[in-house]
Amino acid sequence: MSDTDTLIRHFILDGRRRLDTFERSLFHEKLRSPARDNYTKLFEETPEEALAYCEKYLRKAKKCNAPASAISSIQSSTGCWELGTAKSPRRIKLLGVSDYLYRFISLTLTATLPYDGEVVRHLCNNRICIRPDHLKIGSVGENKMDDILNAYAGGINKGA
Ligand SMILES: [Zn+2]
């Protein structure tokens, strides 16, 4: 098995462990939205299909070499896994869930439901990257801070 295969296996196993222990929060009913309902259904009823979908695209993504040198502290030092184009990052539709692929992968593998004001941030600042450890769920404010730090470090801002 290649290093990439091992890594994908690890991401999927980790995601399965989190989905296995997924539980609705105390505020579930209060926070309901169509997007949350769709993800809830996916996590509770068809977690294996969701994981298979993640695995398929993680395999399919173009594996880029690690950047020669990190230009800022938040720049990742491992290579991105890319799908789609900067203008139109890949979107997916699966069992009622419609979303950007990178958001789908990040939410599914961490068993996190979307909530108001949440954004999936690209630590690598590369919007078409779907590599799970380059993605982090955070707030809109944190995402803006990423942009500012990147601009400050002279990085090219490719958006969230
Ligand atoms: Zn990346």
Side-chain angles (χ1 to χ4, degrees):
M1 245 196 309
S2 74
D3 287 353
T4 305
D5 285 338
T6 308
L7 205 50
I8 291 174
R9 236 174 88 91
H10 161 78
F11 287 138
I12 297 300
L13 283 175
D14 199 44
R16 180 173 291 119
R17 192 172 50 78
R18 287 164 196 257
L19 287 173
D20 276 352
T21 54
F22 170 77
E23 271 181 27
R24 297 182 181 203
S25 79
L26 290 173
F27 311 105
H28 191 83
E29 285 306 313
K30 274 197 180 136
L31 294 171
R32 282 184 67 177
S33 71
R36 271 178 81 86
D37 282 354
N38 288 333
Y39 269 104
T40 304
K41 200 163 176 257
L42 191 72
F43 293 172
E44 291 181 345
E45 296 174 19
T46 53
E48 282 306 317
E49 275 182 84
L51 287 169
Y53 216 69
C54 290
E55 187 170 358
K56 172 177 143 188
Y57 284 105
L58 290 178
R59 289 193 185 287
K60 203 169 163 182
K62 181 176 155 240
K63 313 299 186 298
C64 304
N65 290 328
S69 65
I71 56 163
S72 82
S73 58
I74 56 168
Q75 194 82 9
S76 180
S77 57
T78 53
C80 289
W81 294 358
E82 299 182 337
L83 261 185
T85 62
K87 227 177 177 179
S88 58
R90 180 72 75 102
R91 290 191 69 96
I92 60 105
K93 262 188 207 293
L94 178 70
L95 306 163
V97 170
S98 169
D99 213 336
Y100 282 115
L101 181 59
Y102 69 85
R103 287 196 73 228
F104 175 84
I105 286 177
S106 189
L107 294 173
T108 300
L109 295 183
T110 57
T112 305
L113 295 173
Y115 55 90
D116 249 11
E118 150 270 313
V119 285
V120 172
R121 300 153 65 199
H122 278 101
L123 299 177
C124 55
N125 207 33
N126 177 1
R127 199 160 182 243
I128 59 173
C129 177
I130 62 165
R131 181 171 170 148
D133 58 352
H134 285 195
L135 303 171
K136 190 169 184 333
I137 297 165
S139 67
V140 174
E142 287 174 316
N143 204 39
K144 285 227 171 72
M145 190 49 78
D146 284 352
D147 287 350
I148 292 166
L149 288 174
N150 270 305
Y152 202 67
I156 301 155
N157 177 24
K158 293 180 196 167

